Amino acid sequence: MAKSNAALIKSRLSAAHEDYLKAIYILGAQGAPVTNSALAEFLGVSPASATNMVKKLDELGLVEYEKYREILLNDSGRRVALEVLRHHRLLELYLHEQLNLTWDQVHDEAERLEHVMSDVLEDAITAALGDPTHDPHGDPIPTKDGRIAPVEGMPLSQAEPRQAYRLVRVLVQDAKRLTYLGSMGLYPNATVILSKRSPFDGPLLIEVNDEPQALDYRLARQILVAPAA
Amino acid sequence: MAKSNAALIKSRLSAAHEDYLKAIYILGAQGAPVTNSALAEFLGVSPASATNMVKKLDELGLVEYEKYREILLNDSGRRVALEVLRHHRLLELYLHEQLNLTWDQVHDEAERLEHVMSDVLEDAITAALGDPTHDPHGDPIPTKDGRIAPVEGMPLSQAEPRQAYRLVRVLVQDAKRLTYLGSMGLYPNATVILSKRSPFDGPLLIEVNDEPQALDYRLARQILVAPAA
DNA sequence: CGTTACTTTTAGCCATGGCAAAATTTTAAC
DNA sequence: GTTAAAATTTTGCCATGGCTAAAAGTAACG
């Protein structure tokens, strides 16, 4: 019942609705409370616009929301958000693996395609990729039934010096920064060693696949690593 | 100058604008004059909506239009229309060849994807397919610089009896009818012989790849064939 | 020609999803 | 507690792209 109801709702959702739900999910996953202004800033719209849309999402039964309070996804809303996120990350991986787009090109493309992808296409892409679990940035791909792997890894900025780590995830989205990181070999599965920290949150000296590199502290906080095993 | 102007215009076009331009092109290619009501019927909107949008396209410099007269694409409009048509047919072919969608599934999917496809993706798909000339229905794919192969073939309904023909194009778009035609083997490149006509525009008796089949006259008019060699 | 039938446009409405500016509520500081 | 600052919502506006109903233009026939 809840399922068919949600299916009915879903078929009437616009790309804007989906973008808001996805944004609420992503902001929520970052820990901080999801306020209308945080949402507005994330989406690049005015706070007034966010308030308006969140009220609509509440009426559609997709979020829990009371004036001046934080926004929470309910089960229906979370399912939609995870489905859009699944589309996004499947597309990113597909575009990268099968169509040879670079990892800095895939985000923007997926951002537009994710809203117009049928179930048939989702399944076809899943099959072509062999039911993958992570996209080219190391972000976990939600499963079709709405489960998602927990966050793994720690920021490279907090790594132990002289230990070998495996790069597991890059949270950076900006295309130019991704190009730059790629040029240093900082892709998922790269082997990274933190050689030396600089004081005052200065750059890190690291080794990427045995090549020495300097890395800005703020970028290092957006790169997640795990002990190399 | 005209080119960069058009590029600026293009970046502001909505999916609706693109759909109208594509529809004007397709209707125009069918020979009949493109009136606002024909356009409205083709797109499934009211005549008033079509009038409205055509006025906007005129203001954008994409069509030549005067009240109560037929609508003509100008060079800018035709270029946009052919680009959208190129996207559509490239996508149909890609979805069919690389992702194994059936030929009755690809039209609706391409209809949505065609409006959100970047140049980078267009080029990647073109490269993956080896710069193809026709989609799975035999429709010619416009080139990137806006040229399109002329209509080839004659309706199967007008074929010479007992002659071998090659099926070159299927104008049917409806998914159910396509499924049905596919079940008879009526794909592009099939060998077709018209065995016998029935009077009063009745069904045709045909042979498809040496299998006898009955075919409705109206469908036969939407199947184009060329002499087999 | 003039009248009628048909096509096309205009006028006025609706929903969506933006915005800025004004009003309100919450939070934080005293 | 009171009050000032900050965050949030309300109000009223805009553009887009639909719609229906009414008005106007075109065409065809007697």
Side-chain angles (χ1 to χ4, degrees):
Chain A
M1 234 267 308
K3 209 164 191 177
S4 69
N5 181 33
L8 284 174
I9 289 170
K10 186 195 134 192
S11 67
R12 309 197 165 279
L13 293 184
S14 68
H17 288 141
E18 294 183 350
D19 279 334
Y20 273 89
L21 291 170
K22 190 178 62 157
I24 295 166
Y25 178 84
I26 290 172
L27 288 173
Q30 286 173 11
V34 183
T35 64
N36 266 330
S37 49
L39 190 52
E41 194 191 339
F42 185 87
L43 289 169
V45 299
S46 71
S49 300
T51 299
N52 250 313
M53 183 59 92
V54 169
K55 281 202 290 188
K56 286 181 198 165
L57 293 175
D58 184 38
E59 280 158 23
L60 286 170
L62 295 163
V63 302
E64 304 300 328
Y65 169 64
E66 279 170 64
K67 280 199 213 176
Y68 300 103
R69 302 263 157 262
E70 82 178 289
I71 304 148
L72 295 173
L73 287 177
N74 63 19
D75 285 350
S76 295
R78 187 175 306 105
R79 225 163 18 72
V80 174
L82 285 171
E83 183 174 339
V84 178
L85 208 55
R86 174 170 167 82
H87 285 182
H88 183 92
R89 292 178 177 169
L90 276 175
L91 283 163
E92 286 192 332
L93 186 62
Y94 187 86
L95 293 170
H96 184 58
E97 300 251 303
Q98 306 282 322
L99 283 164
N100 301 313
L101 300 215
T102 56
W103 79 333
D104 53 272
Q105 293 175 320
V106 296
H107 177 78
D108 290 350
E109 195 81 41
E111 199 71 23
R112 287 174 281 111
L113 294 170
E114 64 189 9
H115 303 295
V116 296
M117 186 186 195
S118 73
D119 243 56
V120 168
L121 181 54
E122 178 188 324
D123 291 346
I125 286 182
T126 305
L129 293 171
D131 214 350
T133 61
H134 292 78
D135 78 3
H137 311 106
D139 301 324
I141 299 173
T143 62
K144 195 149 190 185
D145 57 331
R147 285 174 296 106
I148 183 166
V151 183
E152 77 273 48
M154 65 195 298
L156 176 55
S157 55
Q158 293 169 27
E160 285 292 321
R162 310 251 124 251
Q163 295 279 329
Y165 288 93
R166 185 174 59 89
L167 197 163
V168 296
R169 193 169 175 187
V170 175
L171 300 175
V172 176
Q173 306 232 323
D174 176 67
K176 284 183 181 159
R177 273 172 249 272
L178 283 175
T179 308
Y180 166 65
L181 293 177
S183 74
M184 291 196 285
L186 284 170
Y187 293 109
N189 291 319
T191 298
V192 184
I193 296 170
L194 172 56
S195 308
K196 190 155 173 275
R197 266 182 248 271
S198 308
F200 321 121
D201 292 347
L204 309 183
L205 176 62
I206 60 177
E207 274 181 33
V208 183
N209 300 327
D210 295 321
E211 283 276 330
Q213 305 279 358
L215 181 68
D216 184 83
Y217 181 78
R218 286 157 301 178
L219 280 174
R221 288 198 309 184
Q222 296 182 72
I223 292 172
L224 305 189
V225 295
Chain B
M1 235 271 302
K3 211 165 192 177
S4 70
N5 181 33
L8 284 175
I9 288 171
K10 187 193 134 192
S11 68
R12 309 197 166 279
L13 293 185
S14 68
H17 288 142
E18 295 184 348
D19 279 333
Y20 273 89
L21 291 170
K22 189 177 65 159
I24 294 167
Y25 178 85
I26 291 172
L27 288 173
Q30 286 172 12
V34 183
T35 64
N36 267 329
S37 49
L39 190 52
E41 193 191 339
F42 185 86
L43 288 169
V45 300
S46 71
S49 298
T51 299
N52 251 313
M53 183 59 92
V54 168
K55 280 201 290 189
K56 286 181 198 163
L57 294 175
D58 185 38
E59 280 158 23
L60 286 170
L62 295 163
V63 303
E64 304 301 327
Y65 168 65
E66 280 170 64
K67 279 198 214 178
Y68 301 103
R69 302 260 157 265
E70 81 178 291
I71 305 147
L72 295 173
L73 287 176
N74 64 20
D75 285 350
S76 295
R78 186 175 306 104
R79 223 163 20 73
V80 174
L82 285 171
E83 182 175 337
V84 177
L85 208 55
R86 173 171 168 82
H87 285 182
H88 182 92
R89 292 179 178 168
L90 277 174
L91 283 163
E92 287 191 333
L93 186 61
Y94 187 86
L95 294 170
H96 185 57
E97 300 250 305
Q98 307 281 323
L99 282 164
N100 301 313
L101 300 215
T102 56
W103 80 334
D104 52 275
Q105 293 175 321
V106 295
H107 177 79
D108 290 349
E109 196 80 41
E111 199 71 24
R112 286 173 285 110
L113 294 169
E114 64 188 9
H115 304 296
V116 296
M117 186 184 195
S118 73
D119 243 55
V120 169
L121 181 54
E122 178 188 324
D123 291 347
I125 286 182
T126 304
L129 293 171
D131 214 349
T133 61
H134 292 78
D135 79 3
H137 311 106
D139 301 324
I141 299 173
T143 61
K144 193 147 190 182
D145 56 330
R147 286 174 296 105
I148 183 167
V151 182
E152 77 273 49
M154 65 194 300
L156 176 55
S157 55
Q158 292 168 27
E160 286 292 322
R162 308 253 121 251
Q163 296 278 329
Y165 288 93
R166 185 174 59 88
L167 196 162
V168 295
R169 193 170 176 187
V170 174
L171 301 175
V172 176
Q173 305 231 326
D174 176 67
K176 284 182 179 161
R177 273 173 249 271
L178 283 175
T179 308
Y180 166 66
L181 293 177
S183 73
M184 292 196 287
L186 284 169
Y187 292 110
N189 291 321
T191 298
V192 184
I193 298 171
L194 172 56
S195 309
K196 191 153 171 277
R197 266 182 247 271
S198 305
F200 320 122
D201 292 346
L204 309 182
L205 176 61
I206 60 176
E207 273 181 36
V208 184
N209 301 328
D210 296 322
E211 282 277 328
Q213 304 280 359
L215 182 69
D216 183 85
Y217 182 78
R218 285 156 303 177
L219 281 175
R221 288 198 308 185
Q222 296 182 72
I223 292 173
L224 304 189
V225 295

